[in-house]
């Protein structure tokens, strides 16, 4: 008998409250309302509000709890009944278990806001109490408990098989992707499968993990519901899932109008970008002229305008994004703003220098330039750096801030579409007529392939009258497509040959005293071994 009473005492826990839907109990009760509410198995049954004589609603709840403690297993096995009575000059309903009174529900206990009659409220209370009585009765039914255990084990086995099957299918998908990659077949192109194969396997594995977790969650809720002691946990899991799904559904529904506005904004922005692209393509083709916009700057202008338009569209669409006013979005905005402020000082310097280079049209792709000790052909003018291909076929990357801050010598700016100017110099003594020097330099230029343009004669200048010699400069025009390094090498070779041929000494290195004999190479010694004259096979 004592054991029976302890079990009944556990059944009548009245202190933990998890309110569910009901006519009388509150959804979110206060402390006073909780004290006036009868709970069985943590479930709200009814909230009492009437005061009978000196008995407050709280005292009535305590009296009901003490009454329920005295019931035996035989009492609990009998169905509950309700009898209409009149008490304290008002209609009431008396709840009986095995003929023993449990609780009195009067008209004064009802709340006008519930909009229920006394009979309707009594039937609801009876249904809740009967459900809890049945649950309590089940825990004394050995056959029911054995069946519940078997069901739980069967469910656990099914969940285990499902998880194992998910694992096996994941391994099969991974092997299948590897086989498709090795055999170079499948719907997805091989170049894409190399990258997507691992992603497909990982995404499928993540999906299988989620399916397994959902299966375990559903099994827990179902298993808890099989046993009277844990049935409240199963209901709590179901209610939590329902609330989460309801919240997700409501959030999605409430976000749809904002997402529709964002979609409209981005569609309009995309249409504007396409119109600008058509206009700028006409400018690049030379069919349309806009003040301050040149064909060579169209590409950069298109990028800048696209960035500005999309940033404006993002600013306009930001308030309509789901969660835009949340603390998470604000924190992310502050974080990226801080990163941009701290890390973009040098980048912005190079970027602005790149814009200066592009819009000043100081350089063009394909120009031959000299920056500091770097000389070569411009291969790319980026927003952050300029790339030059040198005569050694090296690619030199020069930051745009360095390009702008230094001196740029553009060897081909005056000859768009043509060859560049090549300049070299020699120093010759005063005992050689300058007219002869001019003629020899012009002859060396004419002997060099790819240098002299027949329409334009080489240009020779006397740059300086120095102490022991005169400094001469030869300037020629390269034919289009001629390599600057190759042409310079050939020109220097021909200059040496011509001056040696006519017996004129080149005064480099410097001489303080005039030598007794001219320092030069006789023609018969031009091809001293291991050099071989043209047309003769090498040894």
């Amino acid at each position: 008998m004592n054991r029976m009473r302890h079990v009944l005492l556990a059944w009548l826990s009245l202190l933990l409250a998890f309110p569910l839907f009901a006519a009388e109990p509150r959804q979110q009760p206060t402390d006073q309302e909780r004290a006036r509410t009868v709970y069985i198995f943590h479930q709200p049954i009814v909230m009492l509000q009437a005061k009978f004589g000196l008995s407050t609603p709280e005292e009535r709840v305590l009296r009901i709890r003490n009454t329920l403690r005295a019931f035996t297993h035989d009492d609990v096995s009998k169905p509950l009944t309700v009898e209409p009575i009149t008490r304290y000059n008002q209609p009431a309903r008396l709840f009986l278990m095995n003929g023993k009174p449990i609780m009195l529900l009067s008209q004064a206990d009802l709340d006008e806001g519930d909009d229920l009659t006394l009979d309707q409220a009594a039937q609801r209370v009876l249904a809740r109490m009967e459900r809890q009585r049945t649950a309590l009765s089940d825990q004394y039914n050995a056959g029911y408990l054995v069946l519940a255990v078997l069901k739980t084990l069967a469910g656990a086995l099914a969940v285990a098989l499902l998880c194992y099957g998910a694992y096996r299918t994941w391994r099969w998908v991974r092997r299948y992707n590897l086989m498709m990659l090795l055999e170079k077949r499948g719907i997805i192109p091989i170049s894409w499968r190399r990258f997507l194969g691992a992603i497909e396997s990982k995404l499928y594995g993540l999906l299988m993990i989620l399916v397994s977790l959902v299966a375990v969650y559903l099994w827990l809720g179902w298993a808890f519901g099989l046993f009277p002691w844990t049935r409240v946990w199963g209901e709590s899991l179901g209610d939590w899932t329902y609330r989460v799904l309801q919240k997700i559904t409501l959030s999605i529904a409430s976000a749809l109008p904002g997402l529709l506005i964002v979609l409209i904004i981005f569609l309009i922005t995309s249409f504007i970008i396409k119109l600008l692209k058509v206009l700028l393509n006409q400018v690049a083709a030379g069919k349309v002229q806009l003040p301050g916009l040149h064909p060579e700057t169209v590409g950069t202008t298109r990028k800048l305008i696209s960035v500005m338009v999309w940033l404006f569209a993002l600013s306009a669409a930001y308030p309509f994004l789901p969660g835009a006013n949340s603390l998470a979005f604000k924190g992310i905005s502050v974080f990226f703003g801080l990163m941009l402020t701290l890390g973009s000082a040098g980048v912005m310097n190079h970027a602005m220098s790149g814009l200066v280079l592009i819009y000043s049209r100081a350089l063009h792709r394909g120009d031959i330039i000299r920056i500091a000790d770097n000389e070569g052909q411009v291969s790319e003018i980026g927003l952050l750096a300029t790339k030059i291909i040198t005569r050694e076929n090296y690619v030199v990357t020069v930051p745009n801030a360095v390009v702008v801050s230094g001196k740029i010598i553009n060897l081909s700016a005056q000859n768009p579409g043509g060859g560049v100017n090549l300049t070299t110099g020699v120093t010759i003594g005063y005992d050689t007529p300058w007219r002869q020097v001019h003629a020899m330099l012009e002859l060396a230029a004419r002997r060099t392939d790819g240098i002299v343009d027949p329409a334009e004669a080489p240009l020779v200048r006397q740059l300086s009258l120095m102490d022991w010699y005169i400094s001469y400069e030869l300037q020629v025009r390269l034919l289009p497509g001629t390599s600057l390094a190759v042409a310079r090498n050939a020109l220097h070779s021909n200059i040496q040959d011509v001056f040696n041929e006519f017996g004129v000494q080149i005064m480099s290195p410097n001489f303080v005293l005039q030598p007794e004999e001219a320092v030069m190479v006789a023609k018969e010694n031009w091809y001293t071994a291991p050099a071989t004259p043209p047309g003769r096979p090498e040894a």
Side-chain angles (χ1 to χ4, degrees):
M1 185 62 66
N2 290 333
R3 180 177 176 273
M4 188 72 63
R5 290 186 177 181
H6 285 298
V7 174
L8 290 174
L9 181 61
W11 172 54
L12 301 172
S13 298
L14 305 175
L15 299 177
L16 297 176
F18 294 89
L20 298 177
F21 61 90
E24 297 81 10
R26 297 294 181 260
Q27 295 292 333
Q28 296 180 349
T30 62
D31 293 339
Q32 183 181 13
E33 291 173 342
R34 187 177 292 109
R36 295 182 175 184
T37 303
V38 177
Y39 291 95
I40 301 178
F41 275 149
H42 313 297
Q43 300 300 309
I45 303 300
V46 65
M47 185 178 72
L48 304 178
Q49 301 186 86
K51 182 178 180 181
F52 295 153
L54 298 178
S55 298
T56 62
E58 293 82 359
E59 292 175 341
R60 293 175 59 196
V61 170
L62 294 176
R63 189 179 298 115
I64 293 171
R65 182 173 63 182
N66 293 330
T67 302
L68 289 171
R69 288 176 179 174
F71 286 117
T72 64
H73 175 55
D74 294 335
D75 295 332
V76 174
S77 62
K78 301 297 189 297
L80 292 166
T81 58
V82 180
E83 293 183 359
I85 62 172
T86 301
R87 189 69 56 88
Y88 302 103
N89 298 323
Q90 58 178 318
R93 298 294 182 268
L94 181 63
F95 292 83
L96 303 173
M97 180 184 292
N98 197 18
K100 299 177 182 179
I102 301 175
M103 180 179 65
L104 181 66
L105 181 66
S106 67
Q107 185 69 39
D109 288 319
L110 303 182
D111 192 343
E112 295 181 358
D114 293 331
D115 195 20
L116 292 173
T117 64
L118 182 58
D119 288 332
Q120 291 173 338
Q123 290 301 320
R124 290 196 176 191
V125 172
L126 177 63
R128 299 187 198 108
M129 294 184 68
E130 185 65 23
R131 186 163 54 247
Q132 303 305 322
R133 185 200 64 80
T134 304
L136 182 61
S137 178
D138 289 340
Q139 73 182 15
Y140 299 107
N141 190 336
Y144 174 83
L145 294 179
V146 171
L147 182 60
V149 171
L150 293 177
K151 289 181 178 179
T152 303
L153 294 177
L157 180 60
V159 172
L161 291 176
L162 176 65
C163 296
Y164 180 73
Y167 172 73
R168 296 291 297 179
T169 57
W170 171 73
R171 292 190 60 183
W172 180 84
V173 169
R174 188 174 61 176
R175 288 197 303 268
Y176 175 79
N177 289 329
L178 181 59
M179 182 179 63
M180 291 294 102
L181 182 62
L182 294 176
E183 296 179 359
K184 297 182 179 181
R185 62 186 180 90
I187 300 177
I188 302 178
I190 187 64
S191 58
W192 291 14
R193 184 169 289 280
R194 292 181 183 274
F195 175 72
L196 295 178
I199 297 180
E200 289 176 351
S201 301
K202 293 184 182 299
L203 289 179
Y204 186 81
L206 180 60
L207 178 61
M208 291 298 99
I209 291 175
L210 293 177
V211 170
S212 300
L213 291 177
V214 171
V216 171
Y217 180 86
L218 295 176
W219 171 78
L220 282 175
W222 174 73
F224 285 153
L226 293 177
F227 299 93
W229 312 283
T230 58
R231 192 163 295 167
V232 62
W233 296 348
E235 294 176 355
S236 298
L237 288 175
D239 292 340
W240 181 83
T241 304
Y242 172 76
R243 288 195 298 269
V244 170
L245 294 177
Q246 184 183 36
K247 185 179 295 185
I248 293 175
T249 304
L250 293 176
S251 299
I252 294 175
S254 60
L256 287 179
L259 292 176
L260 181 60
I261 295 176
V262 171
L263 178 61
I264 293 174
I265 291 175
F266 279 94
L267 287 177
I268 295 175
T269 304
S270 178
F271 179 72
I272 294 174
I273 292 295
K274 290 182 179 179
L275 289 180
L276 292 174
K277 183 179 180 180
V278 172
L279 176 61
L280 293 176
N281 286 340
Q282 295 296 317
V283 175
K287 299 179 181 180
V288 177
Q289 294 183 353
L290 296 178
L293 187 60
H294 302 277
E296 56 268 25
T297 62
V298 167
T300 303
T301 304
R302 181 189 298 116
K303 295 178 181 178
L304 291 176
I305 293 178
S306 299
V307 171
M308 293 176 61
V309 172
W310 281 114
L311 286 177
F312 179 78
L314 182 61
S315 301
Y318 179 82
F320 300 99
L321 293 175
N325 296 324
S326 64
L327 294 178
F329 262 73
K330 294 178 182 179
I332 293 174
S333 301
V334 172
F335 174 73
F336 279 105
L338 184 62
M339 288 183 58
L340 187 63
T341 302
L342 297 179
S344 64
V347 175
M348 290 303 297
N349 184 21
H350 294 304
M352 295 306 297
S353 300
L355 294 179
V356 171
L357 285 177
I358 293 172
Y359 283 97
S360 64
R361 295 182 296 160
L363 301 176
H364 302 84
R365 186 176 180 180
D367 285 352
I368 306 298
I369 65 172
R370 185 182 299 130
I371 301 176
D373 56 347
N374 298 309
E375 180 182 272
Q377 185 179 31
V378 177
S379 62
E380 180 182 346
I381 304 176
L383 193 61
L384 301 179
T386 299
K387 294 186 178 181
I388 304 171
I389 301 178
T390 65
R391 64 175 179 273
E392 298 92 350
N393 203 27
Y394 297 157
V395 178
V396 179
T397 302
V398 185
N400 285 334
V402 177
V403 177
V404 173
S405 61
K407 181 175 67 173
I408 305 173
I409 300 177
N410 194 333
L411 304 178
S412 55
Q414 297 298 323
N415 306 310
V420 301
N421 290 331
L422 172 60
T423 303
T424 189
V426 293
T427 53
I428 307 299
Y430 283 98
D431 56 342
T432 303
W434 64 267
R435 294 176 180 83
Q436 182 186 13
V437 175
H438 281 219
M440 287 189 295
L441 290 175
E442 293 173 358
L443 177 61
R446 285 192 293 270
R447 289 183 178 180
T448 304
D449 295 333
I451 285 189
V452 178
D453 188 345
E456 184 176 349
L459 179 61
V460 180
R461 302 184 184 92
Q462 299 182 41
L463 296 182
S464 178
L465 302 177
M466 306 183 73
D467 291 340
W468 297 286
Y469 44 72
I470 301 172
S471 177
Y472 295 89
E473 180 185 74
L474 172 64
Q475 178 178 321
V476 296
R477 174 76 61 79
L478 270 66
L479 294 176
T482 303
S483 170
L484 181 63
V486 173
R488 182 184 286 115
N489 177 69
L491 179 60
H492 288 170
S493 301
N494 287 324
I495 289 175
Q496 294 179 66
D497 289 345
V498 170
F499 275 71
N500 287 330
E501 181 180 343
F502 288 94
V504 177
Q505 174 180 309
I506 298 177
M507 304 296 291
S508 298
N510 296 337
F511 293 97
V512 176
L513 296 176
Q514 183 70 23
E516 295 180 359
E517 297 181 0
V519 180
M520 58 184 180
V521 179
K523 186 173 183 179
E524 58 270 16
N525 297 327
W526 285 5
Y527 298 101
T528 302
T532 56
R536 180 183 300 177
E538 297 183 2

